[in-house]
Amino acid sequence: MPRRKVPLQSPSLATGDAEDEGITHYVEDDSVSEAQPRKRVRWDGDIEGPGEDETGEDSSSAAAVEKICLAATCQFGRIACAYYDPVKCTIYVFEDTAENQHFDLTKALLEQASPDIVLTSSKADDNFIDVCQDHMEGSGGTFQIRPHKEFIALKGRDRLLSLRILSELSIYQEHDGHPSDPELGPEPRNAYDFMRRRKEMGSDPLMQKWNASVRLANFASVESSPLCLGTIGALLEHLVRVRAVGDLDEEGIGGLEVRNIEPLPLLDVMQINADALFSLQVFEDENHASIHSDKTKEGLSLFGILDNTKTTLGRALMREWFLRPSMSLPVIQGRHDAVECFVRPDNITTATSMHGHLQGTKNIPRVLTVMKAGKAKVSDWQGLVKFAFHALLLRDALAELNHAGGVEILLDALDVASFREIGNAVNETIDWEESTNAGRVCVKSHVDEELDNLKHIYHGIDAVLSKVATRVSATVPSDYASSLNVVYFPQLGFLVCVPMQDEWHGEAGIKVLDGWTFQFSSEFHVYFKSQEMHDMDTHIGDLHPAIVDREIEIVQALQDRMLTYADGIGRACDICAELDCLLSFAEVSRSYDYRRPCMTEENVIDIKQGRHPLQELVVDTFVPNDTFIVGGVGIGSTAEETSGEDDSTEADARYPRNSVIIALIQYMAQIGCFVPAESAKLGIVDKIFTRIQTRESISRVQSAFMIDLNQVSLALRNATPRSLILLDEFGKGTLSADGAGLFCGVLKFLLAGGDRCPKVVATTHFHEIFHDDLLSPYKLPITFLHMQVLLASVFHEPIVPADSIDVADEDKDDENRTVLARGDKITYLYKVANGFSLHSHAITCAELFGVPRRVTQRASHVSQLLARHEICQLLDEDMSDSERHSLEEAEEVCRRFLAWDLSPLNQKRDEPVREALARILGRNE
């Protein structure tokens, strides 16, 4: 059905109790407003209005079904959303992701999805709600604030697992197209009919839920995204409510037509999920050293070595770049141009000074927020002045850069006149020394004449109080008080202070003179109001509150004046954060000898002497390698990597696989950093999928192998010709024959895509797949590679490894391969070479780590039988004479031990147990 977009009136925002009362939105189609009456949509799902118009057509079903509905929420700086496309019958989900202060990600999601209806939680951030409301008002859509109970993650997960696409396997989907099958009976209308129907179909609701929880990760990784699960639940509940009202359908969520669930890829942003980030060690949280602290810090990770930012905004922007690498060539090349400018030798001093200026700035957006709330402190005003000062110095430093074509555009955002006016206005108004002493914002002299008069009177009040005290003391009897003072208390005014008399502590109490009124007393003094004090209150007034009020008015006026520059300051803050990130990239690139990659539109990865950015920091020597992969044509596959990395040797913990280096270099290039390689020509990659590490947990339903299958399934469903897939030892978690078959099947499925085949790097030890033309280099566009090893004899003479088979020598005999003798050594070179290897050297590794020679010889014999499919020969083996003699001796020893009489009468006195045991077993010779 073609989709009809209905223009809607401006939506209204929710008010009142969000949990108890609904929000009514009036939806009107301007083109048919006279023929079709308006309807009211409420929270409880009831749609009021006539079910049919005068022509007899349904007025509430067709338009509602074809509308795109999006549910989104944002809490604690993280955003998630899900929307349903009624044309494709697909639910698109966006996992929990950090959002910035400008809500750029929210705006991008709304623009990309173009929803007709937006739902959000009543507990979502206020600014997020404002952004969604403004967008829907501009697009003419409907905006609703739903109760938070609809966005609970647990409910959302239950609703998601109720979808047929997840809960029903193919064996149970044979009846989906025959709802009126007489053998199955009518549609279930209650719980008993439902259970009977499921049993007749051979299914079980508990089994269906289990199937759904297992298959969920095949479509999207949302188990660790509570906000995303909540939005999915709210979306499904809305769709069920609209469908029930429009079609009078009571099937609930199971009746929704959902053909697919896909992650929502942002335009111009690389898609990389949490599993891939974990496998590539992009982020690594380390717990605090103290067990009493729940804080974490960044460990050895890519973010940890690239993050040298000096500001809070810079660190937040850096993390945003890491979570959402760019796919826009102009953006990536602009960042590379800036980094190239900063790493130039003649710009190093200037770049260092710029980083120092950034270190002196504070989180200015937070300062502006505090100012808008009227709660700015002295430190906030000082931070604003320091930002204006350092921004001017930054602009001067930018102007001094040589070959600064990549950063000249940043100069326009740093307005010199505005920052000078901000700094001068604040410095000329606020008295920093007095503010520090008073603990509040104080105003300088000669700023306001009225304030200066109040302060002049306040500072000279001591002399006035002394004169008044002398005059009052003349009217006070000498026996009443030997001395008195006139004091001033803010908000209490002027008071007469008289020392406390001893007799006033008795029952008579404090004696009050005529014309005086008692105010309060302390342990040593009593305070009164006299007529003179009332006169001073009237004529002089309460000075301190008057001064504070006047200063507040002046500071408020200054604050309003500063807020007029808020937009310019915000742009300058964004520029400073971007500069902070680019300077950090430049510092790291200069320190670790990173080179600028050449970004191209071609779908290619061509790396010369690539290195791992993390592993090279923790090893004495790192061996770089070359890589060349073309997407859409074939697969670049590391067919086998030697046992030095796969059989748990020491080198496994120190040297990474070449596939991880490829992904990290591509990832670093698209976030805007230089890469650890001599040179690199890289095309844009839109998605990175990995099957490298398995993150197991007792809370997950899946086994380790099922988790691996989920990761591969997710890659196969969502990969494009520009995607990069890393498969490391896929299939090793199950029976070797089944694992090898799955590995071959996955590669051939990818190859069947032809020009739409993604870039794939695969490693395996399944040598059997290279036999019988399962993966023939002559028939399939696969490049076979292996990791070189160096074999040395007992005489320290190098042995040429004959097990590295080039494509041209594929028919080489197994018997001609080198067999290591006792004492021979093996050294792993970690150098990629052409051809594939049919020997893992696992037995040699076992000997190096102390496994007895007789065990490794037996393992070598069995391995050869398995390779020739002659394992049945083991059944015909007979024991040798020495083995038979050893077995007989062991049997005799066992019989003697069992026949040993342990009764006290048959034991020799004072004979040690060890000697008695040796005598019985015949071992005392």
Side-chain angles (χ1 to χ4, degrees):
M1 176 183 292
R3 183 177 157 208
R4 182 167 67 95
K5 191 172 181 70
V6 182
L8 304 175
Q9 288 186 342
S10 298
S12 59
L13 189 60
T15 57
D17 190 352
E19 299 291 340
D20 299 327
E21 298 184 8
I23 303 174
T24 302
H25 296 281
Y26 293 96
V27 184
E28 180 179 356
D29 188 342
D30 296 337
S31 60
V32 292
S33 58
E34 295 181 1
Q36 180 176 342
R38 293 187 296 183
K39 57 187 177 182
R40 292 182 296 172
V41 183
R42 299 186 179 275
W43 273 8
D44 56 7
D46 296 333
I47 300 181
E48 298 182 358
E52 295 184 42
D53 56 16
E54 296 178 357
T55 62
E57 296 179 354
D58 188 1
S59 61
S60 61
S61 59
V65 171
E66 293 301 320
K67 291 180 180 178
I68 292 181
C69 179
L70 181 143
T73 187
C74 180
Q75 294 181 9
F76 310 109
R78 298 185 67 81
I79 182 179
C81 76
Y83 82 89
Y84 177 72
D85 188 340
V87 177
K88 297 181 179 179
C89 296
T90 300
I91 294 178
Y92 293 92
V93 297
F94 188 77
E95 302 175 22
D96 297 7
T97 307
E99 178 61 292
N100 59 25
Q101 58 182 344
H102 302 298
F103 293 93
D104 294 331
L105 183 56
T106 303
K107 298 173 184 176
L109 289 171
L110 293 173
E111 290 290 342
Q112 182 173 338
S114 299
D116 301 299
I117 302 172
V118 171
L119 312 175
T120 191
S121 170
S122 58
K123 290 188 178 181
D125 295 344
D126 293 339
N127 293 333
F128 171 79
I129 292 176
D130 294 339
V131 171
C132 293
Q133 183 187 17
D134 293 341
H135 178 85
M136 297 311 293
E137 287 179 352
S139 62
T142 303
F143 177 67
Q144 296 183 16
I145 299 180
R146 306 295 303 175
H148 179 67
K149 61 184 180 182
E150 296 183 8
F151 286 80
I152 297 177
L154 185 59
K155 292 183 178 180
R157 185 177 185 275
D158 292 339
R159 295 187 181 105
L160 182 59
L161 297 182
S162 300
L163 292 174
R164 288 182 179 177
I165 189 176
L166 296 177
S167 62
E168 296 184 1
L169 300 178
S170 58
I171 188 174
Y172 304 134
Q173 294 174 350
E174 298 174 357
H175 305 289
D176 290 350
H178 307 282
S180 59
D181 194 337
E183 296 182 0
L184 298 178
E187 288 293 328
R189 294 300 179 184
N190 53 48
Y192 298 100
D193 291 340
F194 175 80
M195 296 300 295
R196 178 183 56 79
R197 174 71 177 274
R198 290 309 180 197
K199 289 181 179 180
E200 291 175 356
M201 294 174 62
S203 179
D204 181 12
L206 294 179
M207 181 60 68
Q208 286 185 342
K209 187 173 182 180
W210 186 85
N211 291 336
S213 62
V214 169
R215 302 182 65 201
L216 177 58
N218 295 353
F219 297 88
S221 303
V222 296
E223 289 282 5
S224 59
S225 301
L227 293 180
C228 184
L229 287 175
T231 58
I232 295 173
L235 175 65
L236 293 176
E237 184 170 341
H238 173 82
L239 295 177
V240 169
R241 184 167 57 246
V242 172
R243 189 171 185 270
V245 173
D247 299 339
L248 298 178
D249 190 354
E250 298 180 4
E251 292 187 16
I253 293 177
L256 287 177
E257 185 180 4
V258 178
R259 300 175 185 172
N260 198 7
I261 302 173
E262 295 182 9
L264 175 60
L266 288 177
L267 298 177
D268 294 332
V269 173
M270 177 197 291
Q271 180 182 342
I272 179 168
N273 59 15
D275 287 333
L277 292 174
F278 178 79
S279 300
L280 300 179
Q281 205 169 340
V282 176
F283 299 102
E284 181 72 26
D285 288 337
E286 288 186 357
N287 294 328
H288 196 275
S290 174
I291 61 174
H292 303 290
S293 176
D294 58 352
K295 295 182 179 179
T296 60
K297 65 176 182 179
E298 194 69 32
L300 179 62
S301 63
L302 184 64
F303 182 80
I305 65 172
L306 296 185
D307 178 31
N308 288 330
T309 54
K310 306 297 183 182
T311 64
T312 304
L313 295 177
R315 182 179 178 85
L317 182 62
M318 175 79 75
R319 182 171 288 272
E320 183 179 332
W321 286 2
F322 269 73
L323 292 174
R324 295 189 288 275
S326 178
M327 289 174 51
S328 172
L329 271 180
V331 172
I332 298 173
Q333 291 174 348
R335 295 175 184 175
H336 288 167
D337 291 341
V339 175
E340 185 177 26
C341 172
F342 294 141
V343 298
R344 289 178 57 88
D346 50 351
N347 289 334
I348 292 178
T349 303
T350 304
T352 304
S353 65
M354 291 172 63
H355 229 171
H357 294 320
L358 288 170
Q359 191 172 6
T361 60
K362 289 189 175 183
N363 189 355
I364 300 303
R366 187 198 65 81
V367 172
L368 294 177
T369 302
V370 172
M371 285 186 175
K372 291 179 180 179
K375 300 179 181 179
K377 300 179 180 178
V378 178
S379 59
D380 297 326
W381 287 101
Q382 289 175 341
L384 182 61
V385 174
K386 289 178 65 177
F387 174 76
F389 173 74
H390 288 291
L392 293 175
L393 295 180
L394 275 175
R395 194 185 190 285
D396 294 340
L398 284 171
E400 295 175 1
L401 291 173
N402 297 317
H403 299 84
V407 294
E408 286 181 350
I409 191 174
L410 304 179
L411 294 173
D412 299 334
L414 301 177
D415 189 358
V416 175
S418 298
F419 289 124
R420 283 179 179 172
E421 186 172 352
I422 290 172
N424 292 335
V426 176
N427 278 325
E428 291 173 358
T429 304
I430 297 178
D431 189 334
W432 302 113
E433 182 177 358
E434 184 180 355
S435 299
T436 303
N437 296 331
R440 58 181 178 83
V441 181
C442 299
V443 179
K444 283 185 176 181
S445 302
H446 310 297
V447 174
D448 183 76
E449 183 177 357
E450 179 183 351
L451 179 62
D452 292 343
N453 292 334
L454 292 174
K455 287 187 175 182
H456 178 73
I457 296 173
Y458 181 76
H459 293 311
I461 197 66
D462 291 341
V464 176
L465 295 179
S466 298
K467 293 180 179 180
V468 175
T470 303
R471 187 184 308 163
V472 173
S473 62
T475 62
V476 175
S478 58
D479 59 346
Y480 184 80
S482 59
S483 64
L484 59 82
N485 291 320
V486 176
V487 297
Y488 166 73
F489 286 102
Q491 299 181 354
L492 296 179
F494 297 91
L495 301 172
V496 178
C497 178
V498 178
M500 176 71 75
Q501 303 293 333
D502 293 338
E503 58 271 16
W504 291 351
H505 292 288
E507 295 180 358
I510 298 173
K511 181 180 178 181
V512 182
L513 296 179
D514 294 339
W516 287 21
T517 56
F518 172 76
Q519 298 298 310
F520 62 92
S521 65
S522 64
E523 184 178 358
F524 301 103
H525 296 89
V526 182
Y527 297 88
F528 302 94
K529 277 282 189 182
S530 65
Q531 185 59 42
E532 291 83 355
M533 301 301 105
H534 288 294
D535 294 340
M536 293 177 67
D537 290 341
T538 302
H539 296 288
I540 297 178
D542 200 353
L543 291 175
H544 188 271
I547 293 173
V548 173
D549 292 343
R550 185 55 186 163
E551 285 183 333
I552 291 176
E553 293 176 1
I554 296 173
V555 172
Q556 182 66 38
L558 176 64
Q559 176 179 296
D560 295 339
R561 181 180 173 187
M562 294 298 102
L563 291 178
T564 59
Y565 300 100
D567 294 338
I569 293 175
R571 289 192 297 270
C573 289
D574 295 339
I575 294 301
C576 290
E578 188 172 354
L579 273 175
D580 199 5
C581 296
L582 296 175
L583 288 169
S584 179
F585 285 162
E587 182 178 345
V588 174
S589 300
R590 188 168 56 249
S591 300
Y592 300 133
D593 191 27
Y594 294 170
R595 307 293 177 84
R596 176 174 182 170
C598 175
M599 305 304 297
T600 177
E601 292 284 357
E602 301 177 24
N603 193 7
V604 64
I605 297 178
D606 187 2
I607 301 172
K608 302 297 183 183
Q609 299 297 295
R611 314 187 306 274
H612 194 292
L614 300 179
Q615 292 291 337
E616 69 173 349
L617 301 180
V618 296
V619 297
D620 298 330
T621 303
F622 187 90
V623 181
N625 283 293
D626 298 343
T627 301
F628 181 77
I629 308 176
V630 178
V633 176
I635 299 181
S637 172
T638 302
E640 201 274 337
E641 292 190 1
T642 58
S643 58
E645 291 189 18
D646 291 271
D647 288 340
S648 301
T649 66
E650 180 183 3
D652 186 41
R654 297 190 301 152
Y655 287 90
R657 293 176 172 84
N658 200 43
S659 57
V660 177
I661 299 176
I662 298 169
L664 282 176
I665 289 178
Q666 181 72 46
Y667 179 85
M668 292 174 63
Q670 290 194 220
I671 65 175
C673 185
F674 284 8
V675 298
E678 285 190 2
S679 64
K681 181 180 179 181
L682 305 173
I684 296 297
V685 169
D686 60 353
K687 302 174 185 178
I688 295 181
F689 300 98
T690 62
R691 208 315 310 155
I692 296 177
Q693 284 183 293
T694 305
R695 291 198 290 176
E696 298 182 70
S697 173
I698 59 174
S699 62
R700 302 186 68 169
V701 179
Q702 300 94 331
S703 64
F705 182 62
M706 295 177 73
I707 294 174
D708 294 347
L709 292 176
N710 282 333
Q711 294 178 356
V712 175
S713 176
L714 183 66
L716 297 181
R717 290 176 184 275
N718 298 281
T720 68
R722 284 197 171 272
S723 299
L724 175 62
I725 301 178
L726 308 183
L727 299 177
D728 182 26
E729 298 293 343
F730 172 61
K732 66 180 180 180
T734 185
L735 188 67
S736 59
D738 296 339
L742 283 171
F743 181 77
C744 279
V746 168
L747 293 187
K748 290 192 174 182
F749 174 83
L750 292 168
L751 288 169
D755 292 340
R756 299 195 57 79
C757 177
K759 298 181 285 291
V760 181
V761 181
T763 64
T764 185
H765 272 100
F766 292 133
H767 301 139
E768 55 267 31
I769 66 176
F770 305 129
H771 298 284
D772 300 327
D773 290 337
L774 292 180
L775 289 177
S776 174
Y778 301 107
K779 300 178 181 179
L780 301 175
I782 298 179
T783 301
F784 289 95
L785 305 169
H786 71 281
M787 302 297 287
Q788 287 184 338
V789 298
L790 178 63
L791 307 178
S793 67
V794 293
F795 305 104
H796 303 288
E797 297 179 357
I799 304 175
V800 178
D803 60 341
S804 300
I805 309 301
D806 200 351
V807 174
D809 303 325
E810 189 178 3
D811 297 329
K812 188 175 290 186
D813 242 338
D814 288 351
E815 289 79 4
N816 295 331
R817 296 196 183 95
T818 302
V819 178
L820 296 184
R822 179 186 295 274
D824 288 351
K825 303 262 184 184
I826 181 171
T827 303
Y828 301 102
L829 303 180
Y830 306 103
K831 192 70 176 178
V832 175
N834 290 325
F836 56 84
S837 175
L838 295 179
H839 199 296
S840 67
H841 303 295
I843 297 175
T844 307
C845 288
E847 291 185 6
L848 292 177
F849 281 85
V851 177
R853 179 78 174 179
R854 55 182 295 186
V855 176
T856 58
Q857 288 179 343
R858 179 65 175 175
S860 177
H861 174 64
V862 174
S863 177
Q864 292 177 4
L865 292 178
L866 287 172
R868 296 195 299 264
H869 302 286
E870 299 174 356
I871 193 64
C872 293
Q873 291 186 10
L874 297 178
L875 300 176
D876 302 328
E877 285 187 351
D878 195 6
M879 289 187 296
S880 63
D881 293 338
S882 60
E883 291 174 342
R884 189 179 295 105
H885 180 68
S886 299
L887 183 61
E888 292 175 353
E889 288 184 349
E891 182 181 2
E892 181 64 24
V893 170
C894 182
R895 291 183 182 278
R896 291 178 184 177
F897 180 77
L898 294 176
W900 186 12
D901 189 358
L902 299 176
S903 61
L905 297 177
N906 296 324
Q907 298 295 324
K908 295 183 178 181
R909 293 183 178 181
D910 301 331
E911 184 181 16
V913 177
R914 183 184 296 271
E915 295 180 3
L917 183 61
R919 177 174 55 80
I920 295 299
L921 299 181
R923 299 295 184 181
N924 52 358
E925 294 84 0

